[in-house]
Amino acid sequence: QVQVKESGGGSVQAGGSLRLSCECSGYTCSRYAMAWFRQLPGQEREAIAGLDVDGSTDYADSVVGRFSISKDHAKSTLYLQMNSLTPEDSAMYYCAAECDSGSGWKIPSLCNEWGQGIQVTVSS
């Protein structure tokens, strides 16, 4: 059974950085794409970064050049390095595992396993 757990959120001032971590336990963690999403209250979950099984990465336009997704396969941990944060980046961030490859990771319904989410707050 796959378990996904985020850590590393918190509060930071605009222009600062945070790194989110996502521990994924289960044999499928390395067999499917993984991704990061974020969500504001009352809004749909937004796909922001994906990492496919071949190592390719993809980003939402809103974070390209500022955020970086990576994975430590030995630790089965996915990371999201977030730089140059702005108040608009404040949201609940979710890690997703067992996502479809290609562009499938961008669709929440095509990711099977989710963490509980972690809050990121950026103050101006």
Side-chain angles (χ1 to χ4, degrees):
Q1 183 174 353
V2 176
Q3 291 187 327
V4 179
K5 183 178 181 180
E6 305 95 341
S7 62
S11 298
V12 66
Q13 289 192 330
S17 299
L18 281 175
R19 189 178 78 160
L20 303 183
S21 299
C22 171
E23 294 183 42
C24 182
S25 61
Y27 79 98
T28 60
C29 293
S30 61
R31 295 171 181 262
Y32 294 89
M34 294 185 69
W36 289 97
F37 291 74
R38 66 187 181 188
Q39 188 173 25
L40 289 170
Q43 296 188 18
E44 294 185 355
R45 199 162 289 190
E46 175 193 16
I48 56 172
L51 176 65
D52 215 336
V53 289
D54 63 358
S56 60
T57 59
D58 195 11
Y59 299 92
D61 290 343
S62 59
V63 306
V64 68
R66 300 188 300 121
F67 290 14
S68 177
I69 188 171
S70 62
K71 187 175 183 182
D72 184 330
H73 292 278
K75 297 180 179 179
S76 194
T77 299
L78 185 73
Y79 299 101
L80 184 68
Q81 178 66 43
M82 305 186 293
N83 299 326
S84 303
L85 286 161
T86 72
E88 288 69 36
D89 294 315
S90 297
M92 187 71 78
Y93 283 70
Y94 295 89
C95 176
E98 290 191 5
C99 300
D100 277 17
S101 292
S103 297
W105 68 268
K106 299 179 181 180
I107 303 173
S109 62
L110 297 185
C111 296
N112 292 327
E113 300 292 339
W114 293 85
Q116 291 191 334
I118 193 163
Q119 180 67 39
V120 171
T121 302
V122 184
S123 58
S124 57

